[in-house]
Amino acid sequence: QVQLVESGGGLVQAGGSLRLSCEASGRTFSNYAMGWFRQAPGKERKFVGAISWSGGSTYYADSVKGRFTISRDNAKNTVYLQMNSLKPEDTAVYYCAASVTFMTRERDQYDYWGQGTQVTVSS
């Protein structure tokens, strides 16, 4: 089992920045690829980005490419989502997830999920 806890959400004005953190406990963190997803009210949960187990590879949804950056610190069992140039349409609950297989945008390939952290971007 892997437990994931997100933090760092909050209210920010459009154009601002936030950094989300996701701390893992349980099994060896470096064994897992990590992903970030988000879910706006009334909408399905969507892929934001993912990072490989080593941190050497990342990829992002087109909607956040160039604005969001994922990184990880395996020594701290933590993955980060740096969000810059935030837009009102980025408002959502953000979830981190762990995949024992590979870095992917597919929700059903992730084995463990956090509880989410709310991000609200005001216009």
Side-chain angles (χ1 to χ4, degrees):
Q1 287 286 342
V2 174
Q3 293 78 43
L4 302 173
V5 178
E6 302 95 337
S7 62
L11 174 64
V12 64
Q13 289 189 331
S17 298
L18 279 176
R19 188 176 81 155
L20 305 184
S21 299
C22 171
E23 185 172 0
S25 60
R27 294 187 177 179
T28 306
F29 177 67
S30 59
N31 287 347
Y32 295 88
M34 299 296 295
W36 284 96
F37 290 75
R38 65 186 182 186
Q39 187 167 17
K43 297 189 176 181
E44 65 179 15
R45 194 171 298 186
K46 292 186 177 180
F47 174 75
V48 173
I51 188 166
S52 63
W53 64 270
S54 68
S57 297
T58 55
Y59 82 112
Y60 303 92
D62 288 344
S63 58
V64 306
K65 201 173 296 182
R67 299 188 298 123
F68 290 11
T69 303
I70 298 175
S71 60
R72 67 189 294 164
D73 185 340
N74 287 342
K76 295 183 178 179
N77 291 346
T78 302
V79 62
Y80 304 97
L81 180 64
Q82 177 67 45
M83 304 185 294
N84 298 330
S85 302
L86 282 161
K87 305 175 181 180
E89 52 263 44
D90 294 317
T91 295
V93 177
Y94 283 71
Y95 298 88
C96 68
S99 171
V100 72
T101 53
F102 49 84
M103 185 175 65
T104 174
R105 66 184 305 124
E106 301 300 326
R107 283 181 301 175
D108 61 5
Q109 295 296 318
Y110 286 86
D111 305 284
Y112 304 101
W113 292 83
Q115 293 301 305
T117 186
Q118 176 70 48
V119 171
T120 303
V121 184
S122 63
S123 56

